[in-house]
Amino acid sequence: MRLTVQVNVHMKSSDLLTIGDLAHRFGLATHVLRHWETMGLLAPGRDGARQRRYGQADLIRVALIMMGKEAGFSLRQLRTLLGTGNPMDHPERLRRHIAELDERIAKATAAKQLIEHALSCPLPFDECPHAREQIAARIPPQ
């Protein structure tokens, strides 16, 4: 099953973009798009001079790759997720990623709370009982 997305990207089907145009549109360097191509994430068409040409499907693909990266997926994971055309073909991988995100969120929340406490504590950080408790919790037992 291929992923079909209807998106109005203001592009006529006859319009094709160069690698520079596509990179500029997304605020990327051209070497990023080339790297994604070597990773198997993009497969642009070629014109008569063998220059890469990108169409609407490529715009959607780049947007999906960027969304996946923002969600914390590696390029290899994205290659797997997008390889079938439908990321939902990989529910277990997606569930594992949710668990990983939950763990990262918990760690980031704890870090934020520690910093907020440090900012509000009148004591120097190394004298603060809360900070000392957090430091002691990080020291592995013998």
Side-chain angles (χ1 to χ4, degrees):
M1 179 166 138
R2 300 302 301 168
L3 179 63
T4 303
V5 180
Q6 295 289 27
V7 179
N8 183 5
V9 293
H10 305 291
M11 184 175 188
K12 294 183 283 188
S13 61
S14 62
D15 292 339
L16 294 175
L17 301 172
T18 66
I19 191 169
D21 294 336
L22 184 66
H24 179 73
R25 187 156 180 181
F26 282 95
L28 299 168
T30 55
H31 71 86
V32 171
L33 297 174
R34 288 187 195 96
H35 179 64
W36 291 356
E37 185 179 346
T38 64
M39 291 290 298
L41 289 164
L42 291 175
R46 303 281 179 156
D47 64 13
R50 304 288 304 144
Q51 297 291 314
R52 292 171 179 86
R53 294 292 180 242
Y54 299 89
Q56 181 173 343
D58 298 303
L59 288 170
I60 293 167
R61 185 72 169 203
V62 170
L64 285 170
I65 293 166
M66 292 181 73
M67 290 168 63
K69 287 179 59 57
E70 289 167 5
F73 288 104
S74 71
L75 293 180
R76 285 190 177 100
Q77 290 169 325
L78 287 170
R79 183 176 56 209
T80 299
L81 289 172
L82 299 175
T84 60
N86 184 358
M88 300 315 297
D89 289 343
H90 307 278
E92 286 308 311
R93 175 66 223 140
L94 294 172
R95 286 186 190 99
R96 281 193 310 273
H97 193 69
I98 289 171
E100 293 166 7
L101 288 173
D102 285 340
E103 184 178 331
R104 288 176 27 206
I105 290 167
K107 287 179 180 179
T109 300
K112 179 179 179 261
Q113 290 170 349
L114 179 64
I115 293 167
E116 287 172 342
H117 180 82
L119 288 170
S120 67
C121 185
L123 299 172
F125 188 75
D126 61 345
E127 294 177 18
C128 173
H130 178 73
R132 284 184 174 187
E133 181 182 303
Q134 296 296 314
I135 292 166
R138 292 292 184 149
I139 299 172
Q142 289 181 327

